[in-house]
Amino acid sequence: MKKTIAHDNSGNSIEYYIVAAIVLTILIVGFMAVTNVAVQKDSLTLTTGFILLFAATASGVMNYFRSKKTALRMAANSLAVELHEKALLEHTIVNVTSSDGKILAVNEKFTETFGYTADEIVGKPSCLLYRHGCDTAQNEELMETVFSGQAWSGSQRLVSKSGQCVMVQASIFPKVNEFGEVTGFVSIRTDLSKAIAESVETGRNSVVDDLPDGVFIYDPESFEINYGNASFRQRVGWASDDHAAKSVTSLFSDDDLKLFRRYLVPLINGETRRAVFEFSHASGPVEVLTHFVEDVDGKRRLVSVVRDISARKQAEQLKLSSVSTVSHELRTPLTSIKGALRLLESGVMGDLTPDVSKLVGVAHRNSERLLAIVNDILTLEELHFGKMAIRAKDVDLRDILNEAAEAIAPFAAECEVKFVVETTSKPALVQADPDRLMQVMSNLMSNAAKFSPVGSGIILRLEDQDSAWRVCVEDKGPGIPEHARSTLFDSFIQVENTPGKAFPSTGLGLTICREIIQKHGGRIAFDTEVGRGTTFYFDLEKSAPLKQTGKLSAVA
């Protein structure tokens, strides 16, 4: 209800009556006094009386109007103060705090901003509003200022009940008693979060919008997209003026979305700083690099950078095609050489001297390794061009680990290491091709054996990850240097200057592992620490009863 100051004609009439009454009263009193003096025939006294009578009349009238003006000014000031206080309470965050930091009172704007009810926050320490508590350099400066009797002003980064960051401009005034002692504080704050967020968003968008790579920002829980730059919108076919709510789920097929979510799990759980996912979009093959960012309001969002990898894939396929052609030509003679060496080693062609037998044995083992390399190249070719079928069935991963440890034991003995199997007591069923899983295990375990110190143990571990089973191969090797981690699963990549045992390799083993696991709708990754070792692992979805699975699309 607005308070106003107004004058009307009835008010003016009353004023005239009051003035007339004052004048009439003074005149009557004066007349009586003058009459009394006149009876005494004292002219000097009479003259003085008339002067005093006139002065009293004029003074009474002036005092009345002066008091009226003062009353009006006081009413106007009171209304201005009331309106100012009302505006202050409605548009700023106000709380009163005791000298020991306990909150004594808050206004409605405070409860709206921080999410506490008055009953929840009153009596609680004001440190609840600070993300890192009260033990900060800024808070020490604040307390020193207000306890000296001066007001403190500055920006603060506070936190709401829900954990959301609240940026404010604050002015904190001390309350001082009659003895000059500080008994508490009055804090007046203005919420700047929205203004800062809009400013940051505008600046970010102006920088990111012209990047050649697609960039989109979205909520990690709802997957609702908050922003997409021009390159991203063009790739997915969204108009620049289309501001309708969009979701990440619309960008993937069902199988690819399931795989994408699985790749995000370690990132969301804080196990890794970024997630890299490759898939075939309608516009061509792309790589999606995802990481977390924190807005000024403290809310975490996912940022994905979409990069066109068509040229890289074409180069890989061209390289693979060239090598595959040579490998096809080498496969037949290598098979013949291996067979001949096996015959010689078996003694069918006659007894060999110890020295010759040793040389034949070395040649036989090397031919087997060379043939294995050729087979790797041809296997990768089949995976790349979709020629390899995945014959999935229910598989118990406990059996895979035990069989792999037994099959790779001779190579482990040659490397002077051993495999230690750690499984679960319950079946670990997945839908998979057991032959292809053995191929993955063989690559991971042979790599671990190559780079593990002599006499060490390589752990083959099975872990329950709620909706998936995780198979781990953990070694105590030199670890993977930082510069090699982003390209480790690429074709023909070998980590240089890494101490290990000398065995020939094409750098295709991990690429094959990735292709096979992704063909199964799974995810493969690694944890490493230089000087302490590496753990490669892959996750496969648990097998559900009567589950029907089709052939999964290849994800590169």
Side-chain angles (χ1 to χ4, degrees):
M1 179 177 179
K2 295 183 179 179
K3 293 187 177 182
T4 58
I5 300 175
H7 303 278
D8 53 24
N9 292 331
S10 61
N12 290 336
S13 299
I14 294 173
E15 287 182 3
Y16 295 147
Y17 291 142
I18 293 174
V19 171
I22 293 173
V23 172
L24 183 61
T25 301
I26 294 174
L27 288 176
I28 292 172
V29 174
F31 178 78
M32 292 174 64
V34 169
T35 303
N36 187 41
V37 172
V39 173
Q40 299 177 6
K41 298 181 180 181
D42 187 344
S43 59
L44 178 61
T45 303
L46 182 61
T47 302
T48 304
F50 274 115
I51 294 173
L52 291 175
L53 177 62
F54 176 77
T57 303
S59 177
V61 173
M62 289 176 63
N63 285 338
Y64 171 78
F65 283 107
R66 189 181 296 115
S67 63
K68 179 66 176 178
K69 186 176 181 180
T70 301
L72 290 174
R73 189 185 301 115
M74 290 177 65
N77 289 340
S78 176
L79 180 60
V81 170
E82 184 177 344
L83 291 174
H84 178 73
E85 289 178 349
K86 184 177 180 181
L88 195 66
L89 290 174
E90 287 181 355
H91 300 290
T92 60
I93 305 163
V94 182
N95 69 280
V96 180
T97 311
S98 65
S99 59
D100 61 353
K102 296 283 179 60
I103 296 176
L104 302 179
V106 297
N107 71 339
E108 187 176 344
K109 190 69 175 177
F110 181 101
T111 60
E112 289 178 4
T113 303
F114 292 103
Y116 294 98
T117 64
D119 291 337
E120 287 176 329
I121 197 66
V122 170
K124 298 294 192 300
S126 58
C127 294
L128 283 176
L129 304 178
Y130 295 84
R131 183 176 293 274
H132 302 294
C134 290
D135 298 329
T136 62
Q138 185 190 57
N139 197 64
E140 290 178 5
E141 176 198 346
L142 186 159
M143 298 304 291
E144 183 178 346
T145 301
V146 293
F147 269 109
S148 68
Q150 300 176 352
W152 181 90
S153 182
S155 60
Q156 291 181 312
R157 187 183 179 94
L158 305 180
V159 62
S160 68
K161 180 181 177 181
S162 63
Q164 184 175 347
C165 179
V166 181
M167 296 295 296
V168 298
Q169 181 66 28
S171 295
I172 300 178
F173 304 92
K175 293 176 64 179
V176 182
N177 62 16
E178 63 271 21
F179 304 107
E181 299 171 338
V182 175
T183 59
F185 320 104
V186 177
S187 301
I188 301 174
R189 298 181 173 95
T190 304
D191 189 354
L192 304 178
S193 302
K194 185 177 180 180
I196 294 175
E198 289 176 351
S199 175
V200 170
E201 184 176 354
T202 302
R204 177 201 66 200
N205 293 356
S206 64
V207 172
V208 175
D209 213 50
D210 294 329
L211 291 178
D213 293 333
V215 179
F216 62 102
I217 302 173
Y218 51 102
D219 186 271
E221 296 179 0
S222 66
F223 269 26
E224 181 180 347
I225 297 175
N226 308 114
Y227 167 78
N229 71 346
S231 178
F232 170 76
R233 287 180 170 273
Q234 182 179 3
R235 178 174 289 277
V236 298
W238 294 349
S240 58
D241 57 351
D242 183 2
H243 301 295
K246 305 287 187 181
S247 174
V248 175
T249 57
S250 64
L251 305 177
F252 299 93
S253 66
D254 291 342
D255 288 336
D256 287 338
L257 179 60
K258 185 187 296 184
L259 191 57
F260 181 62
R261 287 181 181 274
R262 190 166 296 156
Y263 267 75
L264 291 182
V265 167
L267 179 64
I268 294 173
N269 292 341
E271 299 173 14
T272 184
R273 291 181 297 175
R274 65 176 189 170
V276 182
F277 175 66
E278 295 180 8
F279 77 107
S280 295
H281 188 259
S283 59
V286 295
E287 176 186 79
V288 182
L289 173 64
T290 305
H291 64 279
F292 264 114
V293 294
E294 184 174 313
D295 285 351
V296 292
D297 60 1
K299 188 171 183 179
R300 300 178 78 204
R301 289 183 171 86
L302 287 169
V303 177
S304 289
V305 179
V306 183
R307 180 163 298 166
D308 189 334
I309 55 173
S310 301
R312 190 176 84 191
K313 289 298 179 183
Q314 289 174 0
E316 288 179 0
Q317 289 183 359
L318 181 61
K319 184 190 299 184
L320 185 60
S321 296
S322 301
V323 175
S324 297
T325 301
V326 176
S327 299
H328 277 292
E329 297 298 325
L330 288 175
R331 192 174 201 175
T332 300
L334 272 175
T335 303
S336 300
I337 292 170
K338 178 186 173 184
L341 289 171
R342 186 190 302 169
L343 288 174
L344 287 173
E345 195 174 26
S346 66
V348 172
M349 306 302 295
D351 294 334
L352 303 176
T353 63
D355 291 339
V356 173
S357 177
K358 183 178 180 181
L359 288 173
V360 170
V362 171
H364 185 207
R365 288 192 297 274
N366 285 336
S367 68
E368 285 182 333
R369 291 179 184 135
L370 286 173
L371 189 58
I373 291 172
V374 169
N375 288 334
D376 279 350
I377 295 172
L378 298 177
T379 297
L380 187 59
E381 181 193 27
E382 291 179 351
L383 287 166
H384 260 291
F385 294 103
K387 299 177 183 178
M388 178 180 289
I390 300 296
R391 298 176 176 85
K393 62 180 182 180
D394 276 331
V395 175
D396 192 336
L397 291 175
R398 298 179 301 174
D399 297 335
I400 296 293
L401 264 62
N402 288 320
E403 290 175 16
E406 184 176 346
I408 315 297
F411 184 72
E414 189 176 347
C415 296
E416 300 183 72
V417 296
K418 63 180 179 179
F419 294 118
V420 180
V421 179
E422 297 179 359
T423 62
T424 62
S425 57
K426 61 181 179 180
L429 296 178
V430 296
Q431 279 278 319
D433 186 328
D435 294 333
R436 297 308 170 196
L437 289 189
M438 285 296 294
Q439 194 171 357
V440 171
M441 292 301 299
S442 176
N443 279 321
L444 296 180
M445 293 165 65
S446 60
N447 281 344
K450 291 175 189 176
F451 295 102
S452 291
V454 172
S456 64
I458 298 168
I459 298 174
L460 311 180
R461 186 170 58 252
L462 192 59
E463 296 178 354
D464 189 340
Q465 297 287 318
D466 295 331
S467 62
W469 287 106
R470 174 171 292 182
V471 176
C472 305
V473 179
E474 179 183 334
D475 66 51
K476 297 296 187 292
I480 301 167
E482 182 72 33
H483 71 271
R485 296 174 188 176
S486 60
T487 59
L488 197 63
F489 286 99
D490 292 348
S491 303
F492 304 103
I493 295 296
Q494 294 183 349
V495 181
E496 298 179 354
N497 303 322
T498 301
K501 306 172 184 72
F503 290 96
S505 173
T506 58
L508 293 174
L510 291 177
T511 309
I512 292 172
C513 290
R514 182 188 65 182
E515 294 287 340
I516 292 175
I517 293 302
Q518 290 185 344
K519 279 273 192 176
H520 284 80
R523 168 181 173 271
I524 186 169
F526 63 89
D527 295 323
T528 187
E529 186 175 350
V530 175
R532 302 200 61 177
T534 302
T535 300
F536 279 89
Y537 60 88
F538 60 86
D539 298 336
L540 294 176
E541 187 178 3
K542 290 180 178 178
S543 180
L546 302 178
K547 180 180 178 181
Q548 300 295 323
T549 59
K551 181 180 176 181
L552 295 173
S553 59
V555 182

